[in-house]
Amino acid sequence: MIHLDQKAEILMRYFRENKSQREISRELKISRDTISKYIKEFESKNERLTDLEKDEERNRNEILLLIEEMSSKPRYDTSSRNKTKLTDDVISKINELLDLNEKNRLLGRSKQLMKKIDIHEKLVELGFDISYPTVCNYIRENHEKKEAFIRQEYNLGETLEFDWGEAKLTIGGKPTTLQMGLLTTAQGSHHYARLYQNQKMENFLDIHVQAFKSIGGIHRELVYDNLKQAVRKFVGRNEKEATEDLIKMSLYYGFRYRFCNIASGNEKGHVERGIEFVRRKAFSSKTDFDTVEEANAHLQDKLLELNSKKRNWLQNQSPLDILKQEMPYLIPLKPSYDTSRRIEARVNKYSVINIDQNKYSVPDYLVGKFVNVKIYPDTIEIYYKDSKIAEHDRSYLVHNWSIDINHFVNTLKKKPGALHSSVGRHQLSPELQETYQEYYTNNPKEFIELLELIKEKDLESVLKAIDELKKIKKELVTTDNIKNIIFKLPRDDESPGTKDISIQNASLKQIATLNELFNLKSAGGYEN
């Protein structure tokens, strides 16, 4: 096979060095017929070029084509060659196997289709002597069609695209894989993104509500691929049934939804490219954060920067500029949609419910009963007979217990000894932990009464009373003395000038008198 450099050498030696074809054949060890072929071909085209140059302006396109042919590498016409391996029998069998593939595809068996390697192995098994590349070339040339992409044009306020992507960060010193939800406008590529712990339905709904609030309105159409939060089931190859949550949200806000065809991410190419673009711009140089909230705040700052940057392909406008132009065409914003995932849960014997492998406490009188739960990205709300009876910060750990000690007051009254080692005690606020350790380790029953007092009043009042008692004597810090002070203190809503501190002073004086009667040494004086 003659290469381009050999072709050039033949022509240079013949036309520039005036060597004979025989001499060139001997020096280059190429047959005279081949040398003669390229010399005649070049002479013929050169003559044609001379004729065309007489009217160069009219024949410009043909001249350019001829120049390209003269300087191109050698080509070989293989159309008339006999296919010694790819016989009619082989072709017939390949077509038969491809027809079988098509039948399986129509029956929904897309994961059971034969690949080219499988077809080649089948042919060899049937006794055909043919190479794998030959099979691939035939299928590619006769059965595979190159996909053509149609450039899309979008009207203002028309389309918003959604997708998920991963962001691998270090949160609180631990490597963490977070899910980044991204909504991108088709007109202008304005991005809104947020990080979540997972892709569960409550986070899918929340990213939409947050994006709508950030944008200030709702686009008329939202586009999704085949993610499970959007598609409930496939009715056919190209027909999908939306999830109930997506239908409800679309009805509330008034937008249409559309799903991409299978393996056709290009149908929402703005958000497909946006995932990589936003992730790279936001988290390529900074990946360490103390909390997810801090990472989200950093992401919002980067989004504002990206959306405000002017782009050449937007005629030197920014995505934010285009979004402002879209505003009159958007569906007006409504009050935020309830993004919770709702389940029913049964309270077990420990007075907790199980949600995503974590435990959350409820009041102990509900043991054995069913409660309704609203699961939000950051909180858990628990309802019984339409009344909210508990709320917890959501945990994304595994087998974690989130306990409110007040939920167990009734049980602890009967079993005060269980308080010291209970999970709930270790989840008290630092102030109450310190109070328990310093004053109540030997009297858990009184501490339970103190918890009831906090529930009735508030923690701040109790801590103030404890501070007053500590000034007199540590041993005077008891639940009864705390009650005595709290219920005789002036109301917080009274102005300083109108407060009558005589009652408070009388209470403290009474306690100081008890201190003297029991001959307790005061840690701090009392002023009348």
Side-chain angles (χ1 to χ4, degrees), residues 216-339:
I218 300 99
H219 286 70
R220 296 190 296 275
E221 177 187 69
L222 270 85
V223 182
Y224 306 92
D225 58 16
N226 301 294
L227 67 161
K228 63 182 180 181
Q229 293 85 20
V231 178
R232 178 173 173 266
K233 67 178 181 179
F234 288 80
V235 180
R237 175 170 173 77
N238 295 313
E239 293 295 325
K240 294 103 178 175
E241 185 176 306
T243 58
E244 184 176 321
D245 287 283
L246 177 56
I247 294 172
K248 287 180 178 179
M249 182 170 63
S250 69
L251 284 173
Y252 176 74
Y253 283 115
F255 64 82
R256 300 186 310 274
Y257 51 82
R258 172 168 62 84
F259 301 115
C260 297
N261 290 314
I262 296 174
S264 299
N266 58 286
E267 294 181 11
K268 56 176 182 61
H270 301 86
V271 75
E272 287 279 341
R273 294 188 296 273
I275 287 286
E276 185 276 332
F277 175 71
V278 171
R279 179 172 52 206
R280 175 166 48 85
K281 292 294 186 181
F283 300 118
S284 58
S285 58
K286 182 173 176 57
T287 57
D288 289 18
F289 303 92
D290 291 333
T291 63
V292 176
E293 289 74 20
E294 183 187 339
N296 263 321
H298 169 76
L299 176 59
Q300 299 312 310
D301 290 341
K302 282 294 180 182
L303 286 171
L304 180 59
E305 180 183 320
L306 295 174
N307 288 329
S308 302
K309 188 174 182 179
K310 297 187 183 300
R311 310 287 180 183
N312 291 334
W313 55 275
L314 291 175
Q315 288 74 52
N316 205 34
Q317 297 181 89
S318 70
L320 195 55
D321 293 333
I322 302 298
L323 182 63
K324 289 177 181 177
Q325 297 171 26
E326 289 193 272
M327 293 305 296
Y329 303 91
L330 299 181
I331 300 170
L333 194 63
K334 291 183 177 181
S336 294
Y337 183 72
D338 188 348
T339 63

Side-chain angles (χ1 to χ4, degrees), residues 469 475-486 511 514:
L469 290 167
E475 284 79 3
L476 291 178
V477 179
T478 65
T479 302
D480 285 341
N481 284 339
I482 294 170
K483 285 181 180 179
N484 190 36
I485 292 178
I486 285 178
I511 292 170
L514 289 171

Side-chain angles (χ1 to χ4, degrees), residues 87-105:
T87 63
D88 291 341
D89 288 342
V90 172
I91 291 173
S92 177
K93 191 62 185 178
I94 293 174
N95 292 340
E96 182 183 327
L97 295 173
L98 291 173
D99 288 342
L100 180 60
N101 263 0
E102 187 59 28
K103 288 179 183 178
N104 283 330
R105 183 180 287 108

